Amino acid sequence: MAKDFDFDQKSAKVVSPIRLAHVVLRTTPDKFKIMTDFYKTFLGGEASYENEFLSFITYDEEHHRLAIGAIPGTGPKNQRTCGLEHIAFAHSSLNELLLAYRQRKAAGIDPSWCINHGPTTSIYYHDPDGNMLETQVDAFETPEEATDFMMSKAFQENPFGADFDPEEHIGRIKKGESAKSILKRPDVGHRGPESLPAAVLGGL
């Protein structure tokens, strides 16, 4: 029973959350509609509630995964300050990741960076305020395999990954190559922060 719950129980770690529930973004009042339209298109979502300054956007079973608030006095985003780096959204397969890429492109949303990190193959975008978004697909069948790769010498030498062209990936799939083969990260040797594209470094 709830009344018998031990709120003083000792532990070496804090009780972990069961999931990441949602993300809230702040925008300027003049960009509110631009931002809400962008995210509804980008996520294939809809507003579960929306007024002239708040939008709660859902695309799955949760009542909202993303909210956008137009806060008076908010200034433009500075790409080079500390803060949230990006938000990541997972797709269930490489085919769906690439289909979503094509659909977003048809809607006028182009990628900023396409990279095979190793544990994931990822396509990054920027929203109208300059916030970075990652869309990804897992390369390994289990979290343990992904963790093993992240502990490998190859990942230590290059924690960023190898760039790729989504259109080239689509062509390889159409020729019959397996997703497993395409998801395997090419060895491009050492790669440091200096190699990252300007869009990732805050050069939008």
Side-chain angles (χ1 to χ4, degrees):
M1 296 176 63
K3 69 177 182 178
D4 298 322
F5 190 85
D6 181 7
F7 292 100
D8 296 313
Q9 57 187 287
K10 301 294 189 291
S11 175
K13 67 180 284 292
V14 171
V15 176
S16 299
I18 59 170
R19 65 181 178 277
L20 177 63
H22 61 260
V23 174
V24 180
L25 297 176
R26 174 190 290 220
T27 192
T28 56
D30 63 307
K31 275 197 171 178
F32 178 67
K33 187 175 189 316
I34 295 170
M35 284 283 282
T36 56
D37 287 349
F38 172 90
Y39 276 100
K40 289 171 191 172
T41 300
F42 186 84
L43 298 171
E46 60 184 3
S48 53
Y49 173 80
E50 187 172 275
N51 60 25
E52 67 274 13
F53 57 87
L54 278 175
S55 180
F56 296 89
I57 298 172
T58 181
Y59 58 86
D60 60 8
E61 73 283 352
E62 188 73 6
H63 46 77
H64 74 285
R65 289 294 184 190
L66 182 82
I68 299 169
I71 311 299
T74 299
K77 181 180 174 69
N78 184 334
Q79 298 292 319
R80 292 185 176 270
T81 59
C82 293
L84 179 70
E85 168 62 17
H86 67 265
I87 306 167
F89 299 93
H91 285 280
S92 62
S93 68
L94 179 61
N95 284 358
E96 287 198 359
L97 176 75
L98 295 170
L99 172 60
Y101 147 79
R102 278 271 183 93
Q103 291 172 336
R104 290 179 180 122
K105 191 175 182 67
I109 302 173
D110 292 317
S112 303
W113 189 33
C114 303
I115 184 158
N116 183 333
H117 288 302
T120 66
T121 287
S122 303
I123 302 178
Y124 289 83
Y125 299 83
H126 283 83
D127 73 15
D129 274 346
N131 299 301
M132 190 157 62
L133 310 169
E134 177 183 6
T135 60
Q136 66 177 51
V137 63
D138 289 333
F140 297 102
E141 293 183 4
T142 67
E144 291 76 19
E145 290 176 282
T147 300
D148 287 345
F149 181 84
M150 293 179 73
M151 295 177 69
S152 69
K153 182 180 178 182
F155 196 77
Q156 290 176 23
E157 291 180 348
N158 175 9
F160 297 107
D163 296 341
F164 72 91
D165 178 353
E167 294 297 334
E168 181 181 312
H169 276 16
I170 290 171
R172 290 167 67 182
I173 291 170
K174 287 183 174 181
K175 289 179 181 176
E177 188 172 346
S178 71
K180 184 175 182 179
S181 170
I182 296 170
L183 289 171
K184 183 176 173 58
R185 191 179 90 168
D187 184 4
V188 296
H190 171 77
R191 186 170 188 179
E194 71 284 348
S195 71
L196 299 180
V200 176
L201 294 172
L204 283 181

